[in-house]
Amino acid sequence: MVVFSRFRVGVIVLVCALGALFVSPNLVPENVRSSFPSWLQKTVNLGLDLRGGSHLQLQVGIKAVNKEYLASTLSDVRKLLKKKQIKYTGLRVQTEAAKGATLEVVLLDESKVNEVIKLLKKLDENLIFENVGGGVIHAILSEQAMAKRNSDIVEQSIEVVRQRIDASGTKEPNIQRQGDDRIIVQLPGVGDPSEVRRLLGKTAKLSFQWVDKSVQSIVEAKGTKAYLPTPPVGTMYLPNELTDGTVVYLPVKKEVIIHGSSVVRAQATFDQHGQPCVSLRFNNVGKQQIYEASQHINKQFAIILDNKVLSAPVFRDTISGGDAQISGHFTMAEATELALLLSAGALPAPLNVIQESVVGPSLGEDSIAHGRTATIMAFAIVAVFMLLVYSYLGLFADIALTVNVVLLFASLSVLGATLTLPGIAGIALTIGMAVDANVLIFERIREEFRTGMRVMSAIDNGYKRALTAILDSNLTTLIGAWILYYLGTGAVRGFAVTLALGVIISMFTALTLTQWLLTTWVRLSKKKTLPF
């Protein structure tokens, strides 16, 4: 005898009611939806192929980062050779077409090559060294280290891109890796990607470096081109653009005293003069670095962003709290953008836009219309089939099918999922699969009834004996969906998500809702026979 406790009935009703509640934001205009509580404003978002928008393909400048990595070891190599009193005539990083970035050491005494190679191997185990001859040593990154480093750079770039785009207000971007050094960015509903492209084009690499006061600054008047002499070793010229258009090239020490990676918070605000600025909060490492640097009272340093000097103040007092401000004649919009870039983090490598396209909404509208038609047709055909074959039992299956669709869209809304054409295909497929469990159950009930059982007993045994087959068939489908999600990307994952949700929800509606409706109807109507 099938008995539904009040608790079980309450759970079924509650799930169905929550499904209707969370699907409702998709059925009302945006002005009405905005009056809902914030937790009830989530809807199913339309993907690029449905809504239209922008498509960008980015290439990560990995070679530049590998060269920068080798350049960062120059000071360590220089200190090591000085400590061991080994003289050299050349120490630089060069780029070769065949090998890429190469660290070159030219020794004065050729007999010390093997000794230096042993010392340098201890300095960095990721480097491979080669004795070229004539006292020249070349060092490059090993293939294993380069492969891991390149993969980490691309993954870190994806995360920074995601943070920048999300923070700029773009809704539901689709960002994924393609190949070894490319990133695909899809922006549904964004007809002009220029603003996003500008954000992504900025590396946002922040650093604090000393100004070399032993070298004269070079002033470049507006409309002229300044001549920059060769600076001393360890110093470089970086531009500082003033409000009147004049550019001052400051001699800046290459050694970084405070890294931008130490910034944990950046916020646009106003300074003591009421001008827009960016307030910075450093982590423990940054706090210690800025405290030690600020011990040099009245010493000038440069705040550098992407190889451009934002400002060049001096330390007036010791800074112990770990807070600082960047002022550089910003507008409030520029300060807000800079704070956004610093908060999202610096890109580990430059990004180049190598392909850009805009998908018009006409394609999306056409796809939506065809997808809607296919879904309605699938629903109608399945519903009519169940009614014709199973009579009022089919009616209960159709009710469960309707609830199944409502719960599916409610789940997608709660997850904030992006619906694409493959996702619509997954919904159409799950509609057909949703009644699969009911078909197995009804056929089993028919077999039990033909053996002479009463209607209620046949229903009870039909559900119990069909359960194993239902679980097996749906479990294999879930495994397939999981493999698609794990190995797939983008739209393929969307298909896998809708398929998996549809299977799980159909099991709930078939094994609980349909059974409850059927047994309640039989008990109230006191049916003695089945309609088939």
Side-chain angles (χ1 to χ4, degrees):
M1 182 70 177
V2 182
V3 177
F4 278 82
S5 65
R6 290 184 177 179
F7 175 77
R8 191 176 176 188
V9 172
V11 170
I12 295 172
V13 173
L14 179 62
V15 170
C16 295
L18 288 176
L21 179 65
F22 283 108
V23 84
S24 61
N26 296 279
L27 307 176
V28 298
E30 187 171 354
N31 60 336
V32 177
R33 185 168 61 247
S34 61
S35 64
F36 291 177
S38 57
W39 54 269
L40 194 57
Q41 294 184 14
K42 294 184 177 180
T43 60
V44 178
N45 302 296
L46 298 182
L48 188 68
D49 52 355
L50 299 178
R51 187 179 174 186
S54 300
H55 174 100
L56 292 91
Q57 187 178 48
L58 311 173
Q59 186 172 40
V60 184
I62 292 175
K63 291 183 179 179
V65 179
N66 290 333
K67 182 178 180 180
E68 185 179 309
Y69 176 82
L70 290 177
S72 67
T73 65
L74 285 178
S75 60
D76 293 331
V77 174
R78 189 178 292 110
K79 290 177 182 177
L80 179 63
L81 295 177
K82 184 177 181 181
K83 180 180 179 181
K84 297 297 182 180
Q85 297 183 346
I86 299 174
K87 296 182 179 180
Y88 60 93
T89 59
L91 180 58
R92 62 173 182 163
V93 174
Q94 59 183 1
T95 303
E96 299 179 5
K99 295 182 179 180
T102 304
L103 172 64
E104 182 180 78
V105 183
V106 183
L107 301 179
L108 186 63
D109 186 354
E110 187 176 348
S111 64
K112 293 185 177 294
V113 167
N114 292 331
E115 178 188 350
V116 171
I117 288 178
K118 289 181 181 179
L119 291 172
L120 295 180
K121 282 182 178 179
K122 295 179 181 179
L123 185 66
D124 193 334
E125 59 183 12
N126 293 323
L127 298 180
I128 297 177
F129 298 91
E130 179 186 2
N131 182 359
V132 181
V136 179
I137 302 171
H138 281 179
I140 61 173
L141 276 170
S142 67
E143 290 186 5
Q144 296 85 352
M146 187 177 295
K148 183 180 185 305
R149 182 172 172 78
N150 292 351
S151 179
D152 291 344
I153 288 170
V154 175
E155 292 300 325
Q156 186 180 348
S157 297
I158 290 175
E159 185 58 33
V160 174
V161 167
R162 189 184 310 279
Q163 291 182 28
R164 289 189 184 182
I165 292 177
D166 285 347
S168 66
T170 303
K171 193 174 184 180
E172 292 301 320
N174 179 25
I175 304 170
Q176 60 190 32
R177 181 173 181 170
Q178 185 181 65
D180 295 330
D181 62 349
R182 296 190 180 183
I183 301 173
I184 298 296
V185 180
Q186 294 181 336
L187 308 169
V190 178
D192 181 11
S194 59
E195 180 67 20
V196 176
R197 185 176 65 245
R198 191 168 61 84
L199 279 177
L200 298 182
K202 294 187 177 181
T203 309
K205 184 177 181 181
L206 179 72
S207 62
F208 291 62
Q209 297 168 222
W210 294 119
V211 174
D212 190 346
K213 300 300 291 184
S214 66
V215 181
Q216 188 70 31
S217 300
I218 306 297
V219 179
E220 179 182 86
K222 188 176 182 180
T224 64
K225 185 67 177 177
Y227 168 73
L228 299 179
T230 302
V233 176
T235 300
M236 58 183 174
Y237 283 107
L238 293 180
N240 179 22
E241 186 173 349
L242 305 182
T243 54
D244 60 358
T246 302
V247 178
V248 178
Y249 287 90
L250 290 177
V252 178
K253 294 280 189 180
K254 292 183 179 180
E255 181 185 1
V256 177
I257 55 176
I258 305 171
H259 289 274
S261 57
S262 301
V263 176
V264 294
R265 192 200 67 181
Q267 184 177 3
T269 182
F270 295 93
D271 60 18
Q272 65 271 26
H273 303 295
Q275 298 299 315
C277 67
V278 178
S279 174
L280 302 179
R281 171 67 59 86
F282 293 91
N283 59 17
N284 290 333
V285 174
K287 288 179 182 179
Q288 183 62 29
Q289 289 175 338
I290 199 170
Y291 173 74
E292 293 176 356
S294 64
Q295 301 292 314
H296 301 273
I297 303 298
N298 293 326
K299 188 170 183 179
Q300 188 179 23
F301 64 99
I303 302 174
I304 301 166
L305 179 70
D306 292 346
N307 290 323
K308 292 183 179 180
V309 177
L310 294 178
S311 61
V314 296
F315 285 113
R316 298 298 185 190
D317 297 295
T318 301
I319 300 175
S320 58
D323 292 334
Q325 281 186 346
I326 299 177
S327 57
H329 307 290
F330 301 123
T331 65
M332 194 59 192
E334 291 170 341
T336 302
E337 181 179 309
L338 177 57
L340 163 64
L341 293 174
L342 296 177
S343 296
L347 281 167
L351 291 180
N352 301 313
V353 179
I354 60 175
Q355 183 183 4
E356 179 181 319
S357 59
V358 177
V359 179
S362 58
L363 174 61
E365 291 172 2
D366 186 62
S367 300
I368 292 172
H370 283 84
R372 185 189 299 116
T373 301
T375 304
I376 293 173
M377 287 181 63
F379 185 92
I381 292 172
V382 170
V384 171
F385 173 82
M386 294 300 292
L387 282 173
L388 292 176
V389 176
Y390 298 108
S391 186
Y392 64 80
L393 272 71
L395 176 62
F396 299 136
D398 291 344
I399 294 173
L401 179 61
T402 304
V403 174
N404 186 86
V405 174
V406 170
L407 292 178
L408 177 57
F409 274 94
S411 301
L412 293 174
S413 299
V414 171
L415 294 174
T418 299
L419 187 62
T420 60
L421 272 178
I424 291 179
I427 293 173
L429 179 60
T430 56
I431 288 174
M433 296 176 61
V435 295
D436 178 62
N438 286 317
V439 170
L440 289 174
I441 292 169
F442 292 165
E443 290 298 325
R444 192 67 193 184
I445 291 173
R446 176 187 287 174
E447 292 176 7
E448 296 296 329
F449 183 71
R450 286 176 178 174
T451 61
M453 285 188 178
R454 294 182 177 180
V455 173
M456 196 62 75
S457 298
I459 292 173
D460 188 20
N461 283 352
Y463 270 91
K464 287 180 180 178
R465 296 181 179 178
L467 180 61
T468 303
I470 293 171
L471 291 177
D472 288 346
S473 62
N474 285 288
L475 182 60
T476 53
T477 304
L478 286 174
I479 292 173
W482 177 81
I483 293 174
L484 282 176
Y485 185 85
Y486 182 76
L487 298 179
T489 57
V492 176
R493 283 191 165 190
F495 174 81
V497 168
T498 53
L499 179 62
L501 284 175
V503 168
I504 295 171
I505 293 170
S506 67
M507 290 177 63
F508 166 77
T509 55
L511 298 177
T512 58
L513 179 61
T514 308
Q515 187 181 17
W516 174 53
L517 293 173
L518 180 56
T519 54
T520 302
W521 170 260
V522 171
R523 187 177 292 111
L524 293 176
S525 62
K526 299 180 181 180
K527 292 284 185 180
K528 302 297 182 182
T529 60
L530 292 174
F532 46 72

